[in-house]
Amino acid sequence: MEQTALAVLVGAGGAAAGAALTAAALAHGWRRQRDAARAERDRLAGQVEHLTAALATAQAAADSDRQSKAQFIATMSHELRTPLNAIIGFSEIIEAEVMGPVGERLYVSYAGDIRESAVHLLELINTILDVANADGGGGHMAERPVSPTDLVNASLRLMRDRAGRSRVTLAADMDDATPAVMADEGMVMRMLDNVLSNAVKFTPAGGTVTVSVAEDAAGGLAFRVTDTGIGMAEEALERIFDPFFQVDGRLNRHYEGAGLGLALTRALLLRHGGTIALDSAPGRGTTVSLRFPPERVLR
């Protein structure tokens, strides 16, 4: 009887000791997990601090670059435009013989050539500076509700003489009920002018350029310029928005231009949160779509 009781006591003591050892092991494992979690937290906190510092440094560098770019644009704008305006002005005076007869008539013709060349160079410089300014997000946007149909009609009026000289027909496909968009009117006019100019330039005599405006399924608003021109190959479409890219890169190419119109158009459209797309094929014409996001459409 006494031996049985002793065995029970020994068994109970062993169970208690085992339970104690198990509890100690669990507590040790928990402490290890806790310490490991704290170490991981500290490591991640260090990474976040390092990345935050790196981001702040990069942001400061980007701000400095933007300031430098803005200063460059302002300086070049003054330094280049001022002498060109003088050249244009004085060549106009000579061409018009304001101060009296020039004498040799050929000089009058030369003055006209100087004026035309200076005007062309000034337009090119203005476009280059506009592209740099738009890419950098510079310049104030005078946003207000504008009528898409009014913008298209104004653009077609401005393009009428050029299209007439090229014997290209201009057409419009619009609905007067098309909603207004919140946009910078001057920028949108510049976009349409760039796209229309390209369409007329690359459309042979007898062809047609059509401008349409319509809402899309997502609620955005798209301006589309479709021509019956020469079109572009797929490899050209991949680079068409690169500044100074020319579909025909030969020095004696048939079509003139600096290759900046579409680059500027895309930069201006991006500032409105929009997108630009081209659909083209050789001999089948080109369609350029300028899409404004739904949040800019005023219903």
Side-chain angles (χ1 to χ4, degrees), residues 75-85 122 125 129:
T75 301
M76 295 305 292
S77 174
H78 174 75
E79 295 298 327
L80 293 174
R81 287 170 174 162
T82 299
L84 278 174
N85 284 328
L122 182 60
I125 290 171
L129 294 175

Side-chain angles (χ1 to χ4, degrees), residues 242-253:
D242 293 347
F244 302 105
F245 174 73
Q246 297 282 353
V247 175
D248 183 359
R250 297 171 300 175
L251 292 177
N252 61 343
R253 59 182 181 269

